[in-house]
Amino acid sequence: MIFIAEIGMNHNGNLDLAFELIKQAKYAGADVAKFQLGWRGKEGELNHIDKSWLLQLQKWCDYFEIELMVSIFTQDALLMTRGMNLKRYKIASRTLKDNFDLVEEIVKDGKETIISLGMWEDDKLPFLDKDNIKYLWCKSKYPATPWDLIDMPKEFSSEKYYGYSDHSIGIEIPLLAISRGAKIIEKHFTLDKSDTTIRDHILSTTPDEFRILTQVGRSMSKFLDLKI
């Protein structure tokens, strides 16, 4: 069972806030702290992360013993990760839809690649011949209401949807996904849900909420593995 704390842009462009988010994600039971690399990331923009920022994030994640993962949105972002010891990549559904050539290049690296499918409209999944791919079911609405999620798979499996990337408010839907077999949960993470700097704060979990999600979710997953 893997829990990804999607920090994304919730650092508000503040490197010190990113440090605190990484620390709190670790304390809340996250396995992975995830940032976005290249999305709305031009110099001067909120989500700008240059190589020095990225190396600092890696240093902090190593210190707190939590895995650093990044969503790759551009060719420059991919080049920035070269030489770093990242365990795996994340591909947002937007990138899969808009820059398929880049995704192909990333997949060819051979590292585990987690792909969200919220914007993928083809019934046939790509890269089915590759064994380094794990797909996440998601709904690309921000926030997603329970009524937006009624078509969530009744069963998650390694053959198709391995996990779930969540944009709902609260932790009920991720827990429902775990009850249906999801082995990866990606959930936005914030220190302040009332922050209106960007829209993602409101659909994020606080450290206390994320801690409940990881503790209850891991217990549920272990129970399901018993196959009673």
Side-chain angles (χ1 to χ4, degrees), residues 106-126:
I106 293 169
V107 170
K108 286 179 182 177
D109 271 7
K111 288 186 179 181
E112 181 176 284
T113 303
I114 299 173
I115 301 178
S116 288
L117 293 168
M119 294 185 181
W120 184 254
E121 298 176 349
D122 195 326
D123 290 336
K124 183 179 179 182
L125 297 180

Side-chain angles (χ1 to χ4, degrees), residues 36 51 64 75 111 132-133 151 158 170 190 199:
Q36 298 172 349
K51 189 60 179 272
F64 288 112
Q75 183 69 36
K111 288 186 179 181
N132 60 320
I133 304 297
D151 57 342
S158 58
T190 185
R199 67 182 179 183

